[in-house]
Amino acid sequence: PELVERSQIKGDLHSHTTLSDGVATLEEMAAAAEALGYEYLAITDHSESHGFGNHVEADRLWQRIEEIKEFNKSSKSIRLLSGSEVNILPDGSVDYDDDLREALDWVIASIHTGFSDDIDRNTGRMIAAIENPLVDCIGHPTGRLINQRDPYPLDIERVIAAAVEHDTMIEINSNPRRRDLNEIHARMAAEAGVKIVINTDAHRPETLDFIDYGIATARRAWLTADQVQNTRSWWK
């Protein structure tokens, strides 16, 4: 196949700013994404139950939505997307009320707390998030940190089937500590019809370049540009 290339990526849908645990402002992250030639960047700071501090309360996220609207009025070269990396709670629910999540351009849901060795519990928790109509994508699905934390047990086949059924995307997280999905699971997901996105989870401008690691994972999975959603211009 004609494998996906970095030059085909049109935007990054997972990034953080000083509003949560990033080290750069919204404007600094936008400038870095613009320098890479991106058309869009989703700002997805951590939600209120993130559990590690630097989380974003609902009132502050409403303010951030307005800040991004104002930024976009003055920017002609890159579009910022108002988003959130919402925490998947132990029962599979996610942070914030529906009206707030509906006001966002992009919602990526990830597990950050309450890790379990119970495969059925983990799988059910993630599928519940996938079934939520106001969740667009699942972030770093297996939770692994290379050489630091093993993936939590997960029935990836059931997760993939649920993602196909509910048209929920799954991320290849390009952070070199994660590379999650791995290439085997990415291949399984793409073959099943899951829409894959390649994101960096950038917490500073220079780590937007982590996209190279995600592209490498996607190429090891034999993914083409057609199988990677963010090779497209913004579609929502």
Side-chain angles (χ1 to χ4, degrees):
E2 294 185 8
L3 303 181
V4 63
E5 299 178 358
R6 174 172 174 161
S7 62
Q8 295 171 305
I9 299 296
K10 289 183 165 43
D12 195 320
L13 292 164
H14 188 169
S15 71
H16 299 271
T17 73
T18 50
L19 190 59
S20 62
D21 60 346
V23 300
T25 65
L26 180 151
E27 291 80 10
E28 289 168 335
M29 293 299 290
E34 182 180 353
L36 294 176
Y38 287 167
E39 296 177 6
Y40 53 89
L41 176 70
I43 304 298
T44 55
D45 283 300
H46 288 290
S47 61
E48 53 193 355
S49 74
H50 176 232
F52 300 98
N54 301 315
H55 54 276
V56 183
E57 301 289 348
D59 288 347
R60 184 63 185 91
L61 184 54
W62 280 112
Q63 294 175 14
R64 172 48 59 93
I65 291 171
E66 294 305 314
E67 291 166 1
I68 287 176
K69 286 179 181 178
E70 289 302 310
F71 177 93
N72 287 332
K73 288 179 182 178
S74 62
S75 174
K76 295 181 173 59
S77 54
I78 189 167
R79 175 178 176 179
L80 291 184
L81 307 174
S82 57
S84 178
E85 184 179 15
V86 296
N87 195 29
I88 301 175
L89 302 172
D91 63 356
S93 63
V94 296
D95 281 331
Y96 303 130
D97 293 336
D98 287 356
D99 61 338
L100 178 47
R101 279 185 280 115
E102 194 165 12
L104 296 168
D105 295 311
W106 177 255
V107 176
I108 185 166
S110 309
I111 292 176
H112 293 101
T113 55
F115 299 112
S116 171
D117 292 328
D118 186 329
I119 187 170
D120 290 331
R121 178 185 174 192
N122 294 337
T123 303
R125 178 183 184 182
M126 186 160 290
I127 288 175
I130 288 170
E131 292 173 344
N132 189 314
L134 296 178
V135 167
D136 297 299
C137 181
I138 298 297
H140 46 75
T142 73
R144 76 171 182 175
L145 292 174
I146 296 171
N147 293 331
Q148 181 178 339
R149 183 175 69 209
D150 290 336
Y152 40 72
L154 192 68
D155 187 334
I156 195 67
E157 289 88 354
R158 287 178 58 200
V159 168
I160 288 170
V164 172
E165 180 181 355
H166 296 279
D167 197 28
T168 303
M169 300 174 214
I170 298 182
E171 169 187 83
I172 294 176
N173 187 297
S174 302
N175 187 307
R177 298 174 63 223
R178 292 190 181 275
R179 303 286 290 272
D180 181 17
L181 294 171
N182 65 30
E183 66 272 21
I184 296 170
H185 292 160
R187 182 67 182 164
M188 290 170 57
E191 286 186 332
V194 174
K195 295 174 181 175
I196 302 293
V197 292
I198 304 174
N199 296 324
T200 60
D201 197 357
H203 284 64
R204 60 182 69 240
E206 56 267 31
T207 56
L208 286 168
D209 277 324
F210 283 169
I211 196 71
D212 284 334
Y213 295 103
I215 294 292
T217 294
R219 290 174 65 87
R220 285 171 64 89
W222 279 24
L223 299 194
T224 67
D226 286 343
Q227 294 171 306
V228 177
Q229 190 71 11
N230 54 322
T231 62
R232 295 167 172 79
S233 295
W234 180 239
W235 59 90
K236 290 182 67 180

